[in-house]
Amino acid sequence: MSETNERISKIVNDADVVLFMKGTPLFPQCGFSNRAVSILDHCGVAFDSVDVLQDMEIRQGIKAYSDWPTIPQLYVKGEFVGGSDIMMEMFEAGELQTLMNEKQVAKAESE
Amino acid sequence: MPMAAARIEALIKEALPDATVEMEPLVDDNDHWLARVTSAQFAGKSRVQQHKMVFAALGERMGGELHALQLHTAVPN
């Protein structure tokens, strides 16, 4: 396993929910990343994020790791869930909320 | 370079001949598209697998010149 893959593996296994995105949740740098953050906010779950624009190795490495060509990418409990389109399809069908409940991920702290 | 909707549609249909493909502009710039792809070949596949089948049809372009392609996949009723 390459060094980059090991880093990615550690990232996706250390947190319940990880979003690989362009920018940060407060300042997303792309419409698709923005949409992914909104969906997770609506689900009310706590999540970590990785700004791929700050790390070229991760930016390229995550595409190979997931065998998925675009960013954002969502991981839940170490498992690849999909990009923003899949997140939206699942959210609208209620499946994403069900997945989060089933995986027993931490809720976001209420404000 | 933006990619014309007809070209995207043709590539998808080449790989999934039974598919119906509807292209919708997300922004009126001939560059941001939503593709709705319906194919019997998606039956029994997960959403990730369905999207990967479409990515495979688009090859290297996906994530590069096609960064702004939104995708909806469905199995025909």
Side-chain angles (χ1 to χ4, degrees), chain B residues 3-17 21 53-54 56-59 61 65-66:
Chain B
M3 217 167 145
R7 176 84 182 121
I8 298 171
E9 189 177 334
L11 284 166
I12 295 172
K13 282 192 168 167
E14 206 174 292
L16 303 165
V21 182
M53 288 164 76
V54 179
L58 299 168
R61 300 166 192 88
E65 60 183 305
L66 280 178

Side-chain angles (χ1 to χ4, degrees), chain A residues 32 35 66-70 80-81 85-86 89-90 95, chain B residues 47-48 51-52 55 62-63 67-73:
Chain A
F32 295 101
R35 196 160 60 122
S66 315
D67 186 23
W68 194 258
T70 56
F80 178 58
V81 175
D85 295 337
I86 286 178
E89 284 179 354
M90 290 181 73
E95 294 167 14
Chain B
R47 289 177 201 276
V48 167
H51 283 227
K52 277 184 178 172
F55 293 157
M62 196 66 212
H67 73 283
L69 179 69
Q70 205 174 317
L71 201 55
H72 279 253
T73 55

Side-chain angles (χ1 to χ4, degrees), chain B residues 12-35:
Chain B
I12 295 172
K13 282 192 168 167
E14 206 174 292
L16 303 165
D18 77 302
T20 57
V21 182
E22 288 170 51
M23 301 296 295
E24 263 178 51
L26 290 173
V27 186
D28 197 13
D29 62 355
N30 207 34
D31 190 26
H32 292 70
W33 296 102
L34 163 63

Side-chain angles (χ1 to χ4, degrees), chain A residues 74-99:
Chain A
L74 177 68
Y75 274 83
V76 178
K77 295 258 165 130
E79 219 174 278
F80 178 58
V81 175
S84 64
D85 295 337
I86 286 178
M87 289 173 69
M88 183 56 95
E89 284 179 354
M90 290 181 73
F91 180 71
E92 285 175 345
E95 294 167 14
L96 196 60
Q97 299 89 321
T98 305
L99 174 78

